Amino acid sequence: MSAAEQARTRTDAQTQTQTQTDARAQKGTDAQTQTRTETHPRTHTAAGRRGVVIGPVGLAWRPRVFWYTVAALGAVGVLVVLGVAIGSTWIAPVTVIRSLFGLESGPDAFIVSTLRLPRVLTGALVGLTLGVAGALTQTFTRNPLGTPDIIGVTSGASVGAVAAIVLGGGSYSVSAVVLGGGIPVAATIGALLAAAAVYGFGWRGGVQSYRLILVGIGVGATLDAVTSYLLVRAKITAAAAASQWLVGSLSSTSWSSVWPLLIVAAVAVPLALATSAALGIGQLGDEVATGVGLAVQRHRLVVIALAVVLTAAAVAAAGPVGFVAFVVPQVGLRLAGTNRPPLLLAGALGAALVLAADLLARSAFPWQVPVGIITTVIGAPYLVWLLIRHRKEMSR
């Protein structure tokens, strides 16, 4: 072997050794980077969106959604204080706050804790549960008309509750939750049966949103007819009680109305928030969602079950308060500027809407107007506007 060949051989060997050394060094650097990534949370920017990743869990940071949610929760707090303060006897907001923290005693504290606070809390929880339920159904159907009111869930809960009122002789108290079942159980059963009927009749190798809405409208109309039949066949006292309840009213609420609703909200709302990531994937379409590993039909069943439970709890406590589940998710969608209604923001806006409507119903008229009438007056024009807008978009 000549000297030139020996030199080339040594050069090739050195180059190969250096390449292997660089590869091992790069592998070690990648391993250290991966270890740091798995051990410590990191903030990153992808497609203009900041987020925090901790292992397999990723949380998107949306400042606009966050601040609107904070503002809505602040409005709820103000409305709670005003709702307790305003009544036949004015109570100073400072006294209300002191009473809420147990720092006040006497007649004012009794009025706050026993007479007014249950009504205000029930209104806030009804708005919260209906807002979240509406956001769930509108998201998974990908249609603003896909609300519990439209797809028959509210009608099913109303049939169950009215049947309990009529068969119970006109008593619409929810105090018999444990012993006799009462309205909450009856409303939940009615809502579940209605949802099962809509889902079953709408199934054709899967469930499409337009088919679900059309079937829901038909099932809801049938259930409304059943409700009317029950009212016609009921005694006068029972029919009067059921008619008042069907409008959507907070006038007869008490602490026995608050606790079942609070328990349902404490369990179902966090579960609904846990489905947020799957709801976002579902917005990409069934084929894409299935391709990335989402069990679409099972996910829809979970979402429907959560929406049914939340709606039934709200209807059992205050009756079918109309248009809350329809309006607030769309308002939240437009405020947040996202591609789907934010669940927590929709719930906060729902609580604010019901509290404001109840405050208006109690203070703006010489007599108490049911809160459901106020929310219907607000929501019905919005529905008409949305239908006109949708028609214009379809005609383009």
Side-chain angles (χ1 to χ4, degrees):
M1 181 181 296
S2 65
E5 292 176 347
Q6 291 177 357
R8 282 197 301 270
T9 302
R10 285 195 299 269
T11 301
D12 294 341
Q14 290 175 359
T15 301
Q16 184 178 3
T17 304
Q18 183 65 33
T19 301
Q20 293 175 353
T21 303
D22 292 342
R24 286 194 296 268
Q26 182 64 32
K27 184 177 180 180
T29 302
D30 293 341
Q32 292 175 0
T33 302
Q34 183 178 2
T35 302
R36 287 196 300 269
T37 301
E38 294 175 352
T39 305
H40 303 287
R42 58 186 173 90
T43 302
H44 64 89
T45 302
R49 179 180 298 173
R50 294 174 59 98
V52 176
V53 178
I54 306 175
V57 179
L59 301 175
W61 167 247
R62 298 182 177 91
R64 185 172 176 178
V65 176
F66 174 79
W67 290 117
Y68 272 117
T69 303
V70 170
L73 291 175
V76 170
V78 172
L79 289 170
V80 166
V81 175
L82 289 177
V84 175
I86 295 176
S88 57
T89 301
W90 165 260
I91 300 177
V94 175
T95 304
V96 172
I97 295 174
R98 287 177 55 85
S99 300
L100 294 178
F101 286 96
L103 303 176
E104 194 73 25
S105 60
D108 289 344
F110 174 79
I111 293 174
V112 169
S113 62
T114 305
L115 301 181
R116 297 183 183 175
L117 186 58
R119 175 173 182 154
V120 172
L121 289 181
T122 301
L125 290 171
V126 165
L128 171 68
T129 53
L130 288 178
V132 174
L136 286 173
T137 53
Q138 287 184 4
T139 300
F140 93 86
T141 60
R142 298 193 292 275
N143 193 316
L145 296 178
T147 66
D149 299 333
I150 302 297
I151 63 176
V153 176
T154 302
S155 298
S158 298
V159 168
V162 169
I165 293 172
V166 170
L167 298 178
S171 174
Y172 54 99
S173 171
V174 297
S175 59
V177 175
V178 177
L179 297 179
I183 291 179
V185 174
T188 303
I189 293 174
L192 287 173
L193 291 177
V198 171
Y199 201 85
F201 290 137
W203 179 272
R204 293 294 183 276
V207 174
Q208 301 295 328
S209 62
Y210 73 91
R211 188 187 302 127
L212 194 70
I213 293 172
L214 291 177
V215 172
I217 292 173
V219 171
T222 303
L223 293 175
D224 289 340
V226 174
T227 301
S228 300
Y229 174 78
L230 290 174
L231 291 176
V232 170
R233 300 293 298 176
K235 296 180 180 179
I236 294 179
T237 55
S243 299
Q244 180 183 359
W245 180 87
L246 280 172
V247 177
S249 175
L250 298 173
S251 60
S252 61
T253 54
S254 62
W255 282 111
S256 60
S257 308
V258 174
W259 293 117
L261 187 56
L262 180 61
I263 292 172
V264 171
V267 174
V269 171
L271 292 177
L273 295 177
T275 66
S276 181
L279 287 171
I281 295 174
Q283 294 297 292
L284 303 175
D286 292 354
E287 294 182 358
V288 176
T290 303
V292 299
L294 178 66
V296 175
Q297 299 303 328
R298 184 174 63 185
H299 166 66
R300 285 178 177 169
L301 281 175
V302 172
V303 171
I304 289 176
L306 290 171
V308 166
V309 171
L310 289 168
T311 303
V315 172
V321 182
F323 287 97
V324 176
F326 169 72
V327 171
V328 294
Q330 291 301 304
V331 174
L333 176 68
R334 283 157 177 76
L335 288 177
T338 55
N339 62 344
R340 60 187 176 91
L343 297 181
L344 190 57
L345 177 57
L349 290 173
L353 174 61
V354 174
L355 288 174
D358 183 54
L359 189 60
L360 180 64
R362 289 190 287 124
S363 59
F365 302 94
W367 59 88
Q368 288 196 20
V369 178
V371 66
I373 293 179
I374 304 298
T375 58
T376 301
V377 169
I378 295 172
Y382 186 82
L383 174 60
V384 174
W385 173 81
L386 187 66
L387 292 174
I388 294 174
R389 180 184 176 186
H390 180 69
R391 180 181 178 182
K392 290 182 179 178
E393 291 177 351
M394 293 296 293
S395 62
R396 290 177 183 175

